[in-house]
């Protein structure tokens, strides 16, 4: 079983990133429950990726039409498509998530590899049976919080049947409450990791 961990924990806090703490709580219990699992990590800050230009999209589309999915431009999409489980960790920024994660999504959203179209619409082709989204924010979680909604919809587009998430929200409203909010969220992340 292969877990793909997408580390988008972009933070000025560095190692003290609250999203990183949530991710590590999830990983700790996942590893304990599934010591045989292979874990691949995509640390987005270390990847050399940029938004697609129209010309780059034309080149990628031509490769896709030719079935050349072994081309380097599809490397991240192949990794995403082949994972058995996927976990994404990203802070709640500007009502969604850091821009580097959106660029990553452009790279894995490869039609013909991760999804395809039929007469009745889009069908996902990813192997994963579950996707977890781990996020932290200074403000409270709201029904319209786009990070969660966006990843729920992406999971459906990619054909991933189960979506779970942990949102540690309200961390900047009362700094005195932040440790207990994080403690509760990390407990939920550990519980999710155990059964993921």
């Amino acid at each position: 079983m292969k877990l793909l961990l997408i580390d988008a924990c972009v933070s000025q806090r560095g190692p003290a990133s609250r999203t990183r703490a949530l991710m590590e709580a999830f990983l700790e219990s996942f590893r304990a429950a599934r010591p045989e699992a292979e874990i691949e990590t995509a640390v987005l800050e270390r990847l050399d990726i940029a938004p697609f230009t129209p010309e780059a999209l034309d080149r990628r589309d031509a490769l896709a039409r030719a079935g050349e999915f072994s081309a380097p431009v599809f490397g991240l999409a192949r990794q995403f498509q082949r994972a058995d489980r996927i976990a994404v960790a990203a802070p709640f920024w500007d009502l969604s998530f850091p821009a580097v994660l959106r660029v990553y999504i452009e790279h894995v959203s490869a039609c013909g590899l991760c999804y395809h179209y039929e007469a009745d619409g889009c069908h996902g082709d990813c192997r994963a049976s579950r996707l977890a989204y781990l996020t932290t924010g200074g403000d409270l979680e709201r029904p319209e919080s786009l990070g969660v909604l966006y990843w729920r919809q992406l999971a459906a587009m990619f054909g991933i049947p189960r979506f779970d998430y942990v949102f540690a929200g309200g961390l900047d409203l009362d700094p005195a409450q932040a440790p207990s909010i994080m403690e509760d969220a990390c407990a939920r992340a550990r519980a999710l990791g155990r059964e993921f």
Side-chain angles (χ1 to χ4, degrees):
M1 203 273 282
K2 182 183 295 185
L3 170 70
L4 173 60
L5 175 67
I6 301 164
D7 177 351
C9 298
V10 181
S11 174
Q12 293 166 302
R13 294 180 176 86
S17 159
R18 301 178 297 197
T19 308
R20 186 165 303 285
L22 201 62
M23 180 183 77
E24 289 173 354
F26 172 87
L27 271 179
E28 176 188 359
S29 61
F30 178 83
R31 283 188 180 112
R34 294 183 177 272
E36 77 290 351
E38 177 185 350
I39 300 173
E40 286 187 313
T41 304
V43 181
L44 301 195
E45 287 182 279
R46 296 182 193 157
L47 295 179
D48 184 21
I49 55 174
F52 282 106
T53 63
E55 295 78 17
L57 284 171
D58 285 344
R59 289 191 297 272
R60 186 176 76 159
D61 288 350
L63 289 166
R65 283 192 299 274
E68 297 290 338
F69 292 110
S70 61
V73 70
F74 295 112
L76 292 173
R78 287 193 306 272
Q79 182 187 50
F80 191 90
Q81 191 272 336
R82 294 173 181 165
D84 298 304
R85 305 275 196 287
I86 299 169
V88 182
F92 185 54
W93 275 16
D94 305 327
L95 303 181
S96 63
F97 40 73
V100 69
L101 183 53
R102 179 64 187 91
V103 173
Y104 174 83
I105 292 165
E106 286 185 15
H107 282 262
V108 299
S109 295
C111 187
L113 183 60
C114 291
Y115 66 96
H116 69 278
Y117 290 105
E118 296 181 13
D120 62 344
C122 182
H123 293 264
D125 295 313
C126 288
R127 181 185 301 172
S129 58
R130 295 181 73 172
L131 187 146
Y133 186 60
L134 310 167
T135 190
T136 63
D139 200 358
L140 297 170
E141 178 186 358
R142 303 180 193 283
E144 65 275 14
S145 295
L146 292 182
V148 172
L149 288 178
Y150 194 77
W151 276 98
R152 184 187 305 277
Q153 291 178 22
L154 281 173
M157 181 184 97
F158 290 131
I160 302 170
R162 181 163 173 184
F163 174 80
D164 302 280
Y165 76 97
V166 176
F167 189 125
L171 291 169
D172 295 337
L173 301 181
D174 180 357
Q177 297 299 315
S180 63
I181 293 170
M182 280 302 300
E183 184 178 335
D184 172 70
C186 286
R188 288 185 283 128
R190 280 190 287 272
L192 178 58
R194 273 192 296 275
E195 55 88 21
F196 195 70

